[in-house]
Amino acid sequence: MKSLVVFYSLEGDTKFIAEAISKELGGEIAEIQPVKQIPTSGFRKYLWGGKQVMFKDKPDIEVIDKDLSKYELIVLGTPVWASRFAPVFNTFLEKHQIENKKIALFCCHGGGKEGKTFGDFKEKLKGNDFVGEMDFEDPLKKDKDENLLKAKQWIRDIKDRL
Ligand SMILES: Cc1cc2nc3c(=O)[nH]c(=O)nc-3n(C[C@H](O)[C@H](O)[C@H](O)COP(=O)(O)O)c2cc1C
């Protein structure tokens, strides 16, 4: 099954899981890169990111050179920001039509769980077939090996089911 993992990651956690999943699937991977990078240091990132979520911003993103219609399974991965997906996905979903696909969702959070993240994705991607969702708690900072196993097992189960 031809697969694509699309992710955004500010501090590496989501990237870590996305790469493990993509490797397990033997598919392709694409990173969403904002044109203007958010500061990663200190409290500023919360103010900046929180503001983007609150105002439903669509920050400019670099071009993703993938034709999404070519893939059967699309995995979307995001950090949880203010209980929602990162705002760069507003831009990504506006620029890329995703229809009649199998979609798996994952997120990384700091302990507050997924909040509205998966619900918002499902709302925006109505009509697609959602085949799984999983959350990870700061996988680079906490229980790295355990989270790696969890990610591999999760995507393997999905792959076996499809
Ligand atoms: C702007 C901002 C808002 C956040 N909001 C939440 C939240 O609502 N709930 C939560 O559990 N973690 C929250 N976090 C923590 C991140 O979701 C978590 O550290 C995640 O693993 C980071 O993924 P990344 O390394 O791929 O960027 C927030 C982080 C940032 C920068």
Side-chain angles (χ1 to χ4, degrees):
M1 172 173 296
K2 211 165 154 46
S3 66
L4 175 68
V5 177
V6 180
F7 74 97
Y8 167 70
S9 184
L10 179 66
E11 295 181 282
D13 296 87
T14 315
K15 187 181 181 114
F16 171 64
I17 298 294
E19 287 177 345
I21 286 173
S22 173
K23 202 169 159 197
E24 196 64 36
L25 286 170
E28 294 178 39
I29 189 163
E31 179 168 10
I32 302 176
Q33 298 268 15
V35 170
K36 193 171 180 187
Q37 295 294 334
I38 279 187
T40 50
S41 62
F43 198 69
R44 277 174 65 216
K45 66 185 176 199
Y46 296 107
L47 292 178
W48 193 305
K51 182 195 101 13
Q52 280 192 359
V53 174
M54 212 162 76
F55 291 102
K56 297 188 168 61
D57 274 1
K58 291 176 187 162
D60 287 341
I61 59 173
E62 302 291 351
V63 172
I64 291 183
D65 196 15
K66 301 273 182 200
D67 175 3
L68 269 67
S69 67
K70 288 195 317 196
Y71 304 92
E72 291 166 84
L73 172 66
I74 295 177
V75 183
L76 301 177
T78 180
V80 174
W81 282 10
S83 301
R84 296 180 183 272
F85 56 66
V88 285
F89 271 99
N90 291 326
T91 322
F92 174 80
L93 294 175
E94 196 175 77
K95 283 182 188 277
H96 298 270
Q97 285 287 320
I98 304 183
E99 281 166 347
N100 302 317
K101 299 293 176 193
K102 299 197 182 311
I103 297 190
L105 303 170
F106 79 90
C107 67
C108 295
H109 56 77
K113 302 293 280 184
E114 69 271 15
K116 296 188 171 168
T117 306
F118 298 144
D120 282 358
F121 270 132
K122 287 177 179 169
E123 184 63 33
K124 289 224 172 201
L125 292 165
K126 264 188 197 150
N128 290 281
D129 179 15
F130 293 92
V131 295
E133 55 192 48
M134 186 56 78
D135 71 287
F136 301 87
E137 186 175 338
D138 283 337
L140 274 184
K141 295 160 211 130
K142 299 175 197 158
D143 305 320
K144 190 173 171 186
D145 293 345
E146 205 175 293
N147 276 304
L148 187 60
L149 280 178
K150 181 175 158 182
K152 287 182 179 177
Q153 190 58 54
W154 173 63
I155 207 66
R156 227 179 274 151
D157 287 349
I158 290 175
K159 203 166 133 186
D160 290 349
R161 253 193 291 123
L162 298 179

